Amino acid sequence: MTADLTTYQGLLEAVTVDGGVEVKDPATAEVIGSTGQASVDDVDAAVQRAKRAQPAWAALGGDKRSEYLNRVADAVEASAEALAELLSREVGKPLNGPNARFEVGAVAGWLRATASFELNDEVLVDDESGTAVLSYRPVGVVGAVGPWNWPMMISTWQFGAALKMGNTVVLKPSEYTPLSVQALVAVVNQVLPEAVLQVVAGGGEIGAALTGHQDVDKVMFTGSTRTGQAIMRSAATDLKRLTLELGGNDAGIMLDDADPKALAEELFWGAFINTGQTCAAMKRLYVPEALYDQVVDELAQQASNAAMGVGLEEHNVLGPLQNQQQYDIVADLVNKAREGGARMVTGGNPDPDQAGYFYPATIVADIDQSNPLVQEEQFGPVLPIIRYTDLDQAIAWANELNVGLGSSVWSSDRQRALTVADRLQAGTTWINQHGAIDPRVPFGGIKKSGFGLEFGLEGLKHVAVPKVTKY
Ligand code: NAD
């Protein structure tokens, strides 16, 4: 009997492998299921199946593939609550707030938006000298590797655009969140033809086997800068095409005309979305002297009011860190801030007796630019707020680091904010918001945050190869 994928138990049954590697809930340490592990031979077999399936998928044409993506979105919506529960248990993120249900909603939303895009041929020249037309063809087999923070949404960003353009896809989820991605793929594959989308679970070595495979034509990677560098080195052999969405350390700059009270909630969620475990979350905030105390107070109040706990309890909006390694990074950076003389306005003292990787929402004030909590990506529920007296200095501090994913400017004066935004080195600068991604708007990093774009028509071009016809 096939499992009912609209229920949590059915989903778990579809992806759990008896005797596999145990997966634990980071909020309770309870075992929620166990995952199979692919071997290097399994990766090869999956890539070969993807290669054989690709020509027929491409031959369907864009309209037919868009129909498939819309039907996939229907299937995701039919299983939405079950998928959200699994996400909540495996990642730790609450059902409520900008968390698990929000993530599943984004999966369906991104699929429908991607289905609606039309990437038409471009007539580049059409005069007495002749005609030149630029069109976009499938790349072939896409190998996609993802992180643990938004496992379903980021996998969808990767496979949605790739499938739309006529590629077939093999996904390798993070070893921390294998069940979420396998469950999503099980739901999706109720609709898709065989071998168009596959998943291979495993650790870094399985990711390396996939991204280094000679029959993978394009690699989409979202994760740390260090792993992105390893993938880029291995891609050199076959000159694979790459999209690298890597780490960041997004700065927000508040201008002295901003209204801290009116902006407090937006500022808070710009930093604490998914308990701070978000690539394009605000990770350091620069505030002018005149507004400093008020901003610190407003954010401390927001942090104290945001309920943190087990994800399945409806009132919670913040959850645990997803894994021990991330917990240790956050705890270590907060300790370094304290040692450097910074002030813990709220949080900063995790309860040693609490089960799960819970780290309290922490606002850190009176901290210097040189402190490791400002210089390094915390990727957790901690926001350092840095005081400035000279706007040029704040802009220089924001631009000083070697990463550039997102950034933001907070002001009551749109024109002034735009002038500052223009000077910030990042793939995206938001005004009076942070991390507000949109499936129609291209997103990607600069510097060591990577290269290549996802979303919108530009995103489609990055999972295709250009072809010029001249006559
Ligand atoms: P990570 O680099 O440790 O792991 C990411 C994935 O790469 C995992 O699936 C892992 O198994 C795989 N991997 C490890 N070694 C590999 C290798 N040699 N070859 C191929 N694959 C390999 O990153 P993480 O800890 O899972 O994610 C957190 C990081 O991701 C943060 O820095 C965050 O900023 C970044 N991130 C970026 C974005 C973005 O869109 N730019 C989105 C989410 C997260």
Side-chain angles (χ1 to χ4, degrees), residues 51 144 228:
K51 191 176 174 181

Side-chain angles (χ1 to χ4, degrees), residues 374-393:
V374 178
Q375 297 280 318
E376 293 164 31
E377 185 186 36
Q378 68 275 44
F379 217 63
V382 179
L383 181 66
I385 306 179
I386 306 104
R387 189 190 307 263
Y388 77 83
T389 48
D390 171 9
L391 180 57
D392 287 339
Q393 174 69 81

